[in-house]
Amino acid sequence: MSKPIVTGLMAYGMSGRIFHAPFLTTNPGFTFKAVVERHEKKAGKKYPGVISYDTVDELLNDDEIELIIVNTPNNTHFEYAVQALNAGKHVFIEKPAAVTVSEVKALYDLGKKLDLKVMVYQNRRYDSGFLSVKEVIESGRLGELMEVHFRLDRYRMAIGAKKFKETAGVPGNGLTYDLGAHLIDNAISIFGRPLSYHKTTAAYRPGSQVDDYFHIHLKYPNQLNVYLTSGLLIAEHTYGFVVHGTLGSFVKMRTDVQEAQLDADMMPTDEGFGIEPEGSDGKLVLMGLDGQKTIEWIKAPKGNYNGIFDAVYHTVRENALFPVTEEHIAWQIELLEN
């Protein structure tokens, strides 16, 4: 990585602090130059030398910056990404990339017109648990797949402080646009576009104006059924990954540690980063021709959010195909929008 990408961050809230800044400062492919902080100036305390701009316009007018990370509220992603592209910057956009399919198409079309890269931050492809289930599925050991479940649950009775997620009428609000974007991307990245789908949403928290539960059934060729589920009032979490095939089953809890480690100020270069604790292995159950059952415990690979930053570098510097493709995002937003 001979020439780091000079990068600007649009916000330094939870997303900027946990999911972006630690990688921009430890991955040799990037130079973290500046961030927008309208009120408290916190980034410079942890990352001396980083410029704190008061406005987005100041960030976009910095001629040295090549890449803008759009990590603002969901309903502003499209507007800010368009501004950044028109300012001559590549964009790396938090999920969901936009609120509608037409906005997604407009973004990618503008990027192509200006010869700039449009990339979307789908970090859950690099969770340890997802990497583990993907390996098992792609190994073929389960035979022909019949039923797959991906879950991502929380227990949060209180209405959240982020109004763009919790207010009726704000585009891109609710749990489906939030955690649903992750689960849909997980499914699409392995199985592709479904033949059909059915979505159920509900609101259970007292006073909730938006959906805080969803269940999406995706139908694929060869009678494969994929179920994506999430709720904000799930007190007892169950398996995050369940896969049933004609030759066996694989189950695993969601035990990726990266977010918790980053929130505790651990850096991606620290020893032990991304490694699941003992006892977190997935359970692989295989049936032999004689009807005998064998059980294997599958240790998950190291979680690696750095993988998506490496992909950004290779896309910008080497014109490599970004793994989260335009088609993937268009299919995802179609499911979210309809």
Side-chain angles (χ1 to χ4, degrees):
M1 296 185 179
S2 57
K3 185 182 178 185
I5 302 168
V6 181
T7 304
L9 191 58
M10 277 201 172
Y12 193 70
M14 175 189 171
S15 167
R17 179 177 64 86
I18 293 177
F19 294 117
H20 296 291
F23 299 94
L24 296 178
T25 51
T26 58
N27 189 313
F30 299 86
T31 298
F32 181 21
K33 183 180 180 184
V35 61
V36 177
E37 293 180 287
R38 291 179 174 84
H39 306 294
E40 293 184 77
K41 306 293 186 179
K42 297 180 178 180
K45 296 176 182 178
K46 185 170 179 63
Y47 306 106
V50 170
I51 299 169
S52 178
Y53 286 125
D54 294 324
T55 67
V56 167
D57 285 344
E58 289 178 287
L59 186 75
L60 298 183
N61 287 331
D62 188 324
D63 291 335
E64 191 181 12
I65 291 176
E66 305 168 80
L67 171 70
I68 294 291
I69 296 179
V70 182
N71 61 324
T72 52
N74 294 355
N75 58 309
T76 67
H77 288 178
F78 175 73
E79 174 189 352
Y80 282 140
V82 167
Q83 286 185 31
L85 288 167
N86 283 326
K89 318 296 187 184
H90 304 288
V91 291
F92 190 26
I93 313 168
E94 274 277 5
K95 61 80 199 164
V99 176
T100 67
V101 174
S102 61
E103 288 179 346
V104 167
K105 185 177 187 306
L107 277 178
Y108 281 98
D109 285 350
L110 182 60
K112 292 168 191 171
K113 177 183 176 182
L114 299 174
D115 195 25
L116 293 166
K117 303 300 183 184
V118 175
M119 300 159 287
V120 181
Y121 181 73
Q122 295 284 173
N123 63 311
R124 297 291 178 180
R125 291 194 186 193
Y126 299 84
D127 276 359
S128 53
F130 181 70
L131 292 172
S132 184
V133 75
K134 187 171 184 284
E135 284 186 3
V136 170
I137 288 172
E138 292 179 348
S139 73
R141 300 181 70 191
L142 296 176
E144 185 174 347
L145 300 186
M146 303 177 297
E147 183 180 345
V148 176
H149 296 260
F150 293 160
R151 289 195 70 114
L152 183 53
D153 293 314
R154 304 278 190 266
Y155 189 88
R156 295 174 182 169
M157 179 70 76
I159 304 300
K162 294 182 178 179
K163 292 185 178 180
F164 71 90
K165 291 184 178 181
E166 297 280 16
T167 304
V170 175
N173 66 14
L175 187 65
T176 311
Y177 267 93
D178 186 17
L179 299 186
H182 286 308
L183 294 183
I184 293 169
D185 181 71
N186 278 177
I188 284 173
S189 69
I190 295 179
F191 305 112
R193 184 178 190 172
L195 297 174
S196 63
Y197 59 90
H198 178 76
K199 179 168 65 176
T200 299
T201 62
Y204 293 108
R205 296 168 303 159
S208 179
Q209 300 179 29
V210 301
D211 60 286
D212 51 30
Y213 170 88
F214 67 82
H215 179 78
I216 305 172
H217 177 193
L218 309 177
K219 290 187 176 182
Y220 284 94
N222 301 316
Q223 302 183 86
L224 170 61
N225 293 286
V226 176
Y227 302 94
L228 313 175
T229 311
S230 181
L232 288 181
L233 289 182
I234 308 301
E236 181 66 21
H237 292 186
T238 184
Y239 291 116
F241 307 96
V242 177
V243 185
H244 298 299
T246 54
L247 300 180
S249 299
F250 179 73
V251 296
K252 189 180 186 323
M253 299 293 286
R254 282 191 176 269
T255 46
D256 184 274
V257 294
Q258 293 177 92
E259 181 175 344
Q261 289 175 332
L262 292 163
D263 195 24
D265 286 331
M266 191 173 186
M267 297 299 282
T269 49
D270 289 348
E271 184 178 355
F273 181 80
I275 299 175
E276 291 191 358
E278 293 295 325
S280 302
D281 298 351
K283 185 178 183 180
L284 177 64
V285 180
L286 299 176
M287 300 299 294
L289 295 176
D290 56 359
Q292 289 295 109
K293 181 186 294 186
T294 61
I295 296 175
E296 292 182 32
W297 294 95
I298 307 295
K299 187 173 182 61
K302 178 181 177 179
N304 181 32
Y305 291 164
N306 237 329
I308 198 164
F309 286 90
D310 288 342
V312 169
Y313 179 87
H314 293 302
T315 298
V316 171
R317 286 286 182 255
E318 300 163 7
N319 203 32
L321 177 66
F322 194 64
V324 186
T325 68
E326 177 181 354
E327 289 76 16
H328 291 167
I329 297 303
W331 300 339
Q332 175 196 126
I333 302 301
E334 179 187 337
L335 265 67
L336 291 173
E337 183 182 6
N338 297 316

